[in-house]
Amino acid sequence: MSTSASSKKTTPKKTNSILSVKKPWFDKIIKAVWILFFCFVLGIPLYFLSVSINLFGLFGEMPSTKEVENPENDLSSELISADGVSLGRYFRFNRSQVTYDGLSTDLVNTFMLSEDHRFYEHSGMDFWAYPRVLWGLLTLNSAGGGSTITQQLAKNLYTRNPDKALDGVVAKLGKYPRRIVQKTKEWIISVDLEKNFTKEEIIAMYLNTAEFSSNSYGIKVAAETYFNKGPDSLNLQESALLIGMLQNPTFYNPVSNPEGALNKRNEVLYKVYRHGYKIISREQYDSIKALPLGLNFKVQNQNQGLATYFRTVLRNDLMSWCKEHGYDLWESGLKIYTTIDSRMQRFAEEAMAEHMRVLQKEFDRQWRLRNRNPWTDENGNEIKNFLEQRIKRTEAYANLVERYGAEASFDSIKILLNQKKPMRVFTWRGERDTLFSSIDSLNYYKRFLQSGLMSMNPETGAIKAWVGGINHKYFKYDHVKQGSRQPGSTFKPFVYGKAIEDGYSPCHELLDISPTIKIPGGTWSPSNAEGDKGLGDKLTLRQALARSKNTISAQLIDRVRPQNVVEFAHRLGIKSELHPNPSLCLGVDNVTLYELVSAYCGFVNLGIHVEPYYITRIEDKNGNVIESFVPKTRQAMDEKTAYKMVYMLEGGVQESGGTSVGLKYELKKDNEIGGKTGTTDNASDGWYMGITHNLVTGVWVGGDEPSIRFPSWSFGAGSKTARPIWEKYMLKVYANPEVGFAKGYFKRPVSGLDVTLDCNKYQSIDSTEVSPDEKEITLDDLNN
């Protein structure tokens, strides 16, 4: 039987080649390896290039090479005294630069060994640290970050600063894309920083940009804030405390969390020991870690330090200057050199505090004895509803009106204003915590006496000390340049000065009798401070000014005309509006202490008025002088007239009955002094103007507003309220010769005098003197 060909079976050939077997998974692995290789070799560099050029705007702009070489950092502007002491700073972020040379060796070593002990071995990125970081992430046991000092600096300078606008489209996709972009930029910027700066410069730059909590930015401010010293003086344990704060400034703040800060400090110290800081042994480490924190803490702000009122007033001038010249006072790192002497400023603040503490105690005691409040009207009657009227001017009242609406009744708001709450208040024994309502607080603070002091070199115009009040934190109002009050008898020298200019001699005699002067609506006949209309004695002009006789001041303004006195005072530097009325001779028109001191300097400076100034120069952050300031001067009166007025003011110290004869002998010995007291008729203001050959100083004392009055005119007399502050201040100045204001004698006119000052030899220029009560002068006559 035969078989057909179609049914014949065929068998495939067998082969032993493994390559003939199809394995697609193997091909995919090979392909993936090559892709990953090319991504790593080409993709990563292309990614970094894309970020660096901000491809298609995906990643945000990178800083330019110029920005990396000259990083912009917000810098506080600093006020510097004439003797080189920092008076304070204007800042949004309180930061001030320091160079590497200004860092202590302990600080540098602690920082480097704690934060990046291979700092000198890498070029911005520490690749040896990345495996450790990765292992920590995998094991959930972090052994520290992988960022180098250079990377952290990059973060501080750019990627943490929203003003640099480094974020692009990718970073807006979410937290993780943003973090990847930021980290990439840190790496790129780190390389640029390492290219353009030395290691030492990078260390200084990082410490200058770091935050240390308590309003402290940068190592210089941090050292001053926590230890009251410069960064060049920080020891090992102090350095460790500050470096420990870098990881979390708020949590490791030694004031708010001393235990946490101490533990962190000791952790940093151990790192320093472990990484081989050769100076510290195990025994030294054990000894140092047992030490307390050793803080000398003082937060820097505008309410603390020297010359707080001066700094606040000056700020407005500087803001105008910065606007005109294209600077930011808060961030441009300006150095403003002032005329203020820090030592004299301290003497002035101490003198004021010493006297005002005692004066306030007696002020309160006397009003308690009278069982009355110190706010009174012109007739001495207590002002009704005074506190209710004043509370409506406060921020607390305005906030309640805004919250409940203007239609809310005062009675309803008053209930809230009387609710007590915890409050810290000022006392002359230090700050105290208490429970006060808004009404309680107003009632408490309105009883405080205030004071102002300004001290100026009459020849140069340089202001050496400026105290605007008793405590800037609690009383913001400046009583040197802002406060304008009646000067009382301290205005009289301008009346006498005009008479001297018109030919009167200091030896010219007038009767102590009050004139009768017609004024609109009647007549005016002033009394003396003692209440009399004059005793009829003959007094020289020098004696009359020394005893501050109102009667003779009124006679003089009769003769020289009020309008001429106004013009004379304006020539000398009084800029406030003055009304040409006879009562001007008693100082009834408001002026500032700033103006009075400026004007009195014209007498001492032989008639040359020097505009007060308080800035000598301004430098930019690199130390380049932007502008220098020179005081403006003009001849305000003849030098002979000026010296005669100096001689007249000396009468207050030398003449019998003078209001300055009570000054201590220690001040008057081997020293020429002139002085003038002032007290307003309503017992609101006490003044003293003291002059020496090289220093003119004015002092004002009074209530926060004119209706806050002294218990009596005699209690509020300038000789009791203001003169003691001047006396204490000058004693401190003379006790410290290093400040350069020694005792001495007033300058004399080069051409001599045209009249003798020896009143025994003087002959009156007016032998037919008319008695003041024999004539009546109208106001129109006076101004013609």
Side-chain angles (χ1 to χ4, degrees):
M1 186 172 168
S2 62
T3 308
S4 66
S6 60
S7 62
K8 194 175 182 178
K9 292 183 179 180
T10 59
T11 305
K13 287 185 177 182
K14 293 181 180 181
T15 175
N16 293 324
S17 176
I18 194 170
L19 295 175
S20 63
V21 180
K22 295 294 185 180
K23 295 182 179 179
W25 59 269
F26 185 79
D27 292 341
K28 290 180 180 179
I29 290 175
I30 297 299
K31 186 178 179 180
V33 169
W34 279 106
I35 290 173
L36 288 173
F37 174 77
F38 281 109
C39 284
F40 185 81
V41 173
L42 297 176
I44 290 180
L46 285 174
Y47 166 71
F48 275 91
L49 178 62
S50 299
V51 173
S52 65
I53 65 174
N54 188 25
L55 184 66
F56 305 128
L58 294 173
F59 305 101
E61 294 294 333
M62 291 289 292
S64 66
T65 303
K66 182 179 179 181
E67 285 182 299
V68 174
E69 292 176 350
N70 301 283
E72 290 285 337
N73 186 27
D74 57 307
L75 297 172
S76 55
S77 293
E78 187 172 17
L79 277 186
I80 301 172
S81 70
D83 54 320
V85 174
S86 175
L87 295 175
R89 299 184 180 97
Y90 301 107
F91 53 81
R92 289 191 182 94
F93 304 99
N94 189 13
R95 193 193 309 275
S96 188
Q97 298 278 44
V98 63
T99 64
Y100 181 82
D101 293 337
L103 306 173
S104 73
T105 303
D106 279 343
L107 175 63
V108 171
N109 287 329
T110 301
F111 174 53
M112 187 178 63
L113 294 172
S114 171
E115 295 294 306
D116 186 1
H117 64 276
R118 283 188 291 270
F119 178 63
Y120 279 94
E121 299 170 14
H122 63 68
S123 297
M125 290 180 286
D126 185 5
F127 294 103
W128 289 105
Y130 296 150
R132 171 175 51 82
V133 176
L134 181 61
W135 178 252
L137 292 173
L138 293 174
T139 61
L140 301 178
N141 183 22
S142 176
S147 292
T148 65
I149 289 174
T150 313
Q151 287 176 261
Q152 293 176 53
L153 172 60
K155 188 184 299 183
N156 287 349
L157 287 176
Y158 305 109
T159 57
R160 276 184 179 172
N161 190 340
D163 295 334
K164 296 295 179 184
L166 300 183
D167 292 339
V169 175
V170 173
K172 294 177 181 177
L173 296 176
K175 176 182 176 181
Y176 293 106
R178 174 185 174 86
R179 181 67 185 129
I180 292 171
V181 171
Q182 283 192 335
K183 201 68 180 177
T184 304
K185 290 179 177 180
E186 286 176 27
W187 288 336
I188 295 172
I189 296 169
S190 295
V191 172
D192 285 342
L193 287 171
E194 290 277 352
K195 285 181 181 178
N196 292 286
F197 296 96
T198 67
K199 291 287 188 178
E200 290 74 19
E201 288 172 328
I202 290 172
I203 288 174
M205 289 170 64
Y206 178 84
L207 290 173
N208 282 329
T209 58
E211 179 187 351
F212 291 91
S213 188
S214 299
N215 206 21
S216 302
Y217 297 81
I219 191 64
K220 184 174 187 294
V221 177
E224 294 170 351
T225 299
Y226 292 103
F227 298 108
N228 193 28
K229 59 169 64 176
D232 58 340
S233 303
L234 291 171
N235 60 32
L236 189 60
Q237 61 267 29
E238 292 165 345
S239 300
L241 176 68
L242 295 178
I243 298 305
M245 294 178 69
L246 294 175
Q247 291 185 15
N248 191 326
T250 302
F251 183 78
Y252 294 120
N253 186 308
V255 177
S256 58
N257 184 12
E259 183 178 354
L262 183 63
N263 291 336
K264 188 63 180 177
R265 183 202 71 175
N266 292 342
E267 179 185 319
V268 171
L269 285 171
Y270 182 74
K271 284 183 180 181
V272 173
Y273 161 69
R274 187 184 68 188
H275 289 306
Y277 186 10
K278 296 179 181 178
I279 297 177
I280 183 173
S281 63
R282 179 72 196 198
E283 292 74 16
Q284 289 172 315
Y285 161 70
D286 290 335
S287 176
I288 294 173
K289 77 173 186 178
L291 294 173
L293 293 175
L295 298 179
N296 188 353
F297 180 71
K298 192 172 186 180
V299 175
Q300 298 185 16
N301 59 49
Q302 303 303 334
N303 292 320
Q304 294 180 337
L306 287 172
T308 48
Y309 289 91
F310 170 74
R311 282 157 29 200
T312 301
V313 173
L314 182 56
R315 179 185 62 198
N316 296 328
D317 294 347
L318 290 171
M319 288 176 66
S320 298
W321 183 92
C322 286
K323 184 177 180 181
E324 181 181 346
H325 292 80
Y327 289 92
D328 185 337
L329 177 63
W330 316 102
E331 295 186 359
S332 293
L334 301 176
K335 292 287 189 293
I336 301 112
Y337 291 86
T338 73
T339 62
I340 297 291
D341 186 291
S342 69
R343 297 158 297 187
M344 297 173 73
Q345 179 70 29
R346 187 175 68 255
F347 300 155
E349 294 180 9
E350 289 173 352
M352 180 180 289
E354 289 168 10
H355 178 66
M356 293 301 292
R357 182 181 294 108
V358 176
L359 187 68
Q360 182 69 52
K361 184 177 181 179
E362 182 61 19
F363 177 85
D364 294 338
R365 190 186 73 84
Q366 290 209 20
W367 277 115
R368 281 198 303 271
L369 288 174
R370 290 166 170 76
N371 196 28
R372 293 177 56 198
N373 291 312
W375 35 85
T376 62
D377 59 23
E378 293 293 333
N379 299 316
N381 300 315
E382 183 174 330
I383 299 174
K384 303 295 183 182
N385 301 320
F386 175 83
L387 293 176
E388 291 185 359
Q389 295 169 17
R390 297 307 187 272
I391 198 69
K392 294 179 180 180
R393 304 176 187 175
T394 64
E395 184 178 352
Y397 180 81
N399 290 339
L400 289 173
V401 169
E402 183 179 356
R403 181 177 178 182
Y404 294 103
E407 67 277 3
S409 68
F410 178 70
D411 288 339
S412 299
I413 292 178
K414 188 176 177 180
I415 294 174
L416 299 172
L417 291 171
N418 276 291
Q419 289 183 351
K420 297 187 183 297
K421 50 187 176 290
M423 190 178 298
R424 176 163 291 184
V425 298
F426 167 81
T427 80
W428 278 112
R429 297 183 302 276
E431 293 180 315
R432 297 294 175 89
D433 292 322
T434 187
L435 286 174
F436 265 179
S437 68
S438 296
I439 291 283
D440 293 335
S441 176
L442 182 69
N443 181 33
Y444 177 74
Y445 282 121
K446 279 295 182 182
R447 298 173 185 274
F448 275 93
L449 291 173
Q450 298 296 325
S451 186
L453 180 151
M454 176 174 146
S455 190
M456 174 176 161
N457 184 324
E459 185 172 2
T460 67
I463 297 176
K464 309 308 295 182
W466 179 311
V467 189
I470 59 174
N471 186 285
H472 186 265
K473 180 177 179 179
Y474 291 92
F475 307 97
K476 302 295 186 188
Y477 195 73
D478 172 69
H479 291 283
V480 171
K481 199 174 185 181
Q482 284 183 302
S484 183
R485 301 290 280 264
Q486 291 184 359
S489 294
T490 57
F491 191 85
K492 288 177 181 175
F494 305 115
V495 179
Y496 282 82
K498 181 55 187 168
I500 295 293
E501 186 176 62
D502 286 355
Y504 285 84
S505 164
C507 296
H508 186 82
E509 293 182 333
L510 291 175
L511 295 176
D512 177 18
I513 297 175
S514 181
T516 300
I517 302 173
K518 285 186 178 179
I519 58 173
T523 60
W524 180 68
S525 182
S527 301
N528 287 317
E530 298 79 8
D532 60 81
K533 293 283 186 176
L535 303 178
D537 300 332
K538 274 190 176 182
L539 297 174
T540 66
L541 296 190
R542 190 177 193 241
Q543 290 170 333
L545 181 61
R547 301 177 191 178
S548 201
K549 291 292 184 179
N550 295 342
T551 54
I552 293 181
S553 298
Q555 292 178 49
L556 282 179
I557 205 166
D558 274 354
R559 295 160 184 254
V560 301
R561 303 291 190 262
Q563 184 59 49
N564 293 332
V565 173
V566 169
E567 185 272 336
F568 182 82
H570 283 162
R571 257 192 284 149
L572 277 170
I574 300 296
K575 296 181 179 179
S576 295
E577 183 181 6
L578 302 174
H579 300 91
N581 299 320
S583 58
L584 179 65
C585 69
L586 303 186
V588 295
D589 285 342
N590 289 352
V591 300
T592 67
L593 180 61
Y594 182 90
E595 293 173 292
L596 272 183
V597 174
S598 169
Y600 271 65
C601 283
F603 298 136
V604 179
N605 202 30
L606 291 181
I608 298 176
H609 170 71
V610 182
E611 194 72 22
Y613 83 115
Y614 32 75
I615 304 176
T616 57
R617 72 182 187 277
I618 299 177
E619 295 179 356
D620 65 16
K621 65 179 182 180
N622 297 314
N624 301 312
V625 177
I626 306 171
E627 186 168 352
S628 296
F629 297 85
V630 179
K632 300 176 182 178
T633 64
R634 67 173 184 273
Q635 191 75 40
M637 73 184 104
D638 179 80
E639 64 173 4
K640 296 176 183 178
T641 299
Y643 179 71
K644 290 173 191 174
M645 279 308 302
V646 168
Y647 177 71
M648 293 275 288
L649 289 167
E650 286 184 278
V653 179
Q654 299 170 358
E655 293 283 352
S656 174
T659 57
S660 297
V661 293
L663 289 174
K664 290 186 177 180
Y665 174 75
E666 184 180 349
L667 275 178
K668 296 185 282 187
K669 182 183 178 183
D670 301 323
N671 196 27
E672 289 186 338
I673 295 175
K676 185 71 195 78
T677 57
T679 315
T680 52
D681 285 342
N682 57 14
S684 293
D685 308 271
W687 298 77
Y688 191 73
M689 301 298 298
I691 64 172
T692 64
H693 73 105
N694 56 8
L695 206 57
V696 173
T697 304
V699 181
W700 167 87
V701 175
D704 195 44
E705 55 181 287
S707 55
I708 310 295
R709 307 185 196 278
F710 294 107
S712 65
W713 189 92
S714 60
F715 179 86
S719 59
K720 295 179 181 179
T721 58
R723 194 185 76 188
I725 297 176
W726 182 87
E727 184 175 60
K728 290 175 182 292
Y729 167 67
M730 292 303 299
L731 286 170
K732 292 174 186 288
V733 170
Y734 289 144
N736 293 270
E738 69 275 6
V739 302
F741 285 87
K743 295 179 178 181
Y745 302 91
F746 292 109
K747 292 185 294 186
R748 268 63 173 171
V750 176
S751 58
L753 289 174
D754 53 2
V755 66
T756 179
L757 297 180
D758 183 351
C759 294
N760 293 323
K761 300 178 180 178
Y762 171 74
Q763 293 292 322
S764 174
I765 60 172
D766 186 359
S767 58
T768 59
E769 189 66 52
V770 180
S771 175
D773 58 352
E774 294 179 10
K775 60 178 180 179
E776 293 185 349
I777 301 176
T778 67
L779 188 59
D780 290 338
D781 291 334
L782 293 174
N783 294 321
N784 289 331

